[in-house]
Structure formats: C-alpha cells, structure tokens
Amino acid sequence: MVPKPILCVTLLSLIISLTTLSLVAADPTYGFTRLPLSNSNFQVQRPYDVPVSQRYSFSNGVHRFLVYSSDKPHMQGSATEPRTEIRITGYDYTSGVWQFEGYFYVPSGTTGTCIQQVFGGVSSATTSQSRVYGGSLTHYQSITLEQNIYNRWIRFNVIHDVGANNVKIYINGGNAPRYNGPGRGASTHYFKFGVYAQPGAASNYMESQWRDIKILRK
C-alpha cells in the first residue's frame, strides 16, 4: 500500500501539471519565438499634409493613433482612405508561421475603421483585417470577433500560416480562436496597426491605442 503522504504529493503534482498544460494551451504564443522589436521597426503612416505629432503619439508605452474621415491619404496621388498606422518593418515574410500580439483600446464613437492588418495577398491587398463597426470587432465585415469593445483594453493575437494559407485570431487568449479560416494567398506580408478608415462607414473621428506589441514566429 502506498503511504497517504506520498499519494497526496503525487496527486498534487498531477494537478499542477494539468493546470500548467491548460495555461500553456490557452496561450496562443506557446511554441513561438519572440523576435526583437524596437522603435526602428515602427514606420508611421499618416495623412501626408499634417505632421506626425498631430495624428500619432507614443507615451508611457502606449501608441495612440487618430485620423479624421476628411483627412488626406498617406501619400499624394493615393486613392486610399485616410489612415494613421504603423507599418512594422524588418519582418516582411513570404513563408513560415508568424504572429502579431498587442493590446488595443478603442474609445466609444470610433467606427468604420480597420485597426490591424496582415498585409499582402493574391485576391486582395490584405490577408486579414480586423475592423471596428459600432462597438464590435470584426474580421473584415462578416465575422464578429468580439462585441462591446469600447473603452477597455483587449489582448489581440493573429497567427498567419503562409504555407497552409490559414489565419487564426484570438481575443484575450483562450483555447479557441475567434476566427480560423483561409487567408488570401501567399505574397510578401507584413503587419500594420492603428486606424484606417473604411469607405462609406467611417466616423468623423477615429482612434485606437495599442501597447505591448510583439512579433513572433515558428
């Protein structure tokens, strides 16, 4: 017969192991390697006729982006909608499994704007867009990722497997992605975040804030 103290220790060890496995499984970054990231990797795109400081700031670890629906595009001659975004440089990719992680905050009233992109695709310019419509975060326009997002910090993870043409999006961790579906073809890809007005739907004023940005890969 096994002495009771040893049995208790064994059961406790098993419980701890199972709890650890559960926590690991709930973290979308498990198995990924975090890559070095600094301000030199952050290229700010904003309306071409205003200084960066009028549309973007970085203070106490928080990136703050704002844009107006009446703003100019980021380049003269561009037909795109107004934006203030960071384009992450130094980590463009054409293969592999890549991940973007960050925490975002969207103030009430902001709508009709894209706050995060996986750029590059065959059938369109992007493989993934996460947008804000009326207080909900959506994948493009069709799939709701999270409701009632206004005025709270939310953890956001997007995983792009180029070879499998697959995109997964996680909100506040969890075992199950809120989106798990096809991308839009292999191309040269990179990550962007901020605010990018969507045609016919954008509020006059759009804002998002981001912190704790990470790039990871397998």
Side-chain angles (χ1 to χ4, degrees):
M1 178 178 293
V2 179
K4 287 184 179 180
I6 295 178
L7 179 59
C8 289
V9 170
T10 302
L11 288 173
L12 180 60
S13 298
L14 179 60
I15 291 170
I16 292 173
S17 297
L18 291 173
T19 301
T20 302
L21 286 172
S22 177
L23 290 172
V24 164
D27 188 345
T29 65
Y30 178 71
F32 283 77
T33 299
R34 181 178 175 180
L35 302 174
L37 198 62
S38 69
N39 287 338
S40 65
N41 300 108
F42 296 151
Q43 180 187 84
V44 180
Q45 299 177 344
R46 90 289 182 186
Y48 69 81
D49 62 338
V50 297
V52 172
S53 60
Q54 290 187 16
R55 295 293 185 269
Y56 166 80
S57 65
F58 181 69
S59 178
N60 297 319
V62 175
H63 304 269
R64 181 172 178 256
F65 306 84
L66 63 96
V67 77
Y68 295 89
S69 59
S70 58
D71 275 338
K72 297 288 195 299
H74 69 298
M75 294 188 301
Q76 281 188 288
S78 173
T80 60
E81 298 295 317
R83 73 182 76 190
T84 304
E85 295 181 299
I86 279 180
R87 185 257 208 247
I88 294 181
T89 65
Y91 292 115
D92 293 12
Y93 61 95
T94 57
S95 62
V97 184
W98 291 74
Q99 181 169 182
F100 170 96
E101 177 181 82
Y103 290 77
F104 71 81
Y105 177 97
V106 176
S108 57
T110 290
T111 191
T113 189
C114 174
I115 64 170
Q116 200 278 339
Q117 302 186 58
V118 180
F119 196 84
V122 173
S123 59
S124 72
T126 60
T127 279
S128 174
Q129 285 193 349
S130 294
R131 302 179 183 177
V132 176
Y133 289 109
S136 292
L137 185 71
T138 64
H139 178 65
Y140 290 102
Q141 289 179 283
S142 58
I143 298 174
T144 298
L145 303 171
E146 178 79 350
Q147 296 180 323
N148 302 315
I149 67 166
Y150 286 149
N151 306 319
R152 63 190 182 103
W153 284 102
I154 296 172
R155 183 186 179 190
F156 176 92
N157 296 75
V158 57
I159 299 172
H160 181 207
D161 185 334
V162 180
N165 191 33
N166 177 258
V167 174
K168 293 182 176 69
I169 298 175
Y170 293 82
I171 302 297
N172 290 326
N175 292 310
R178 301 294 179 88
Y179 175 79
N180 183 0
R184 298 192 171 186
S187 181
T188 298
H189 302 282
Y190 51 83
F191 298 113
K192 303 182 79 175
F193 62 104
V195 277
Y196 177 26
Q198 298 303 298
S203 51
N204 176 58
Y205 174 84
M206 292 156 275
E207 178 183 338
S208 76
Q209 299 176 31
W210 286 85
R211 61 177 172 84
D212 300 324
I213 304 300
K214 299 180 181 68
I215 301 298
L216 310 97
R217 71 165 301 178
K218 284 186 177 179

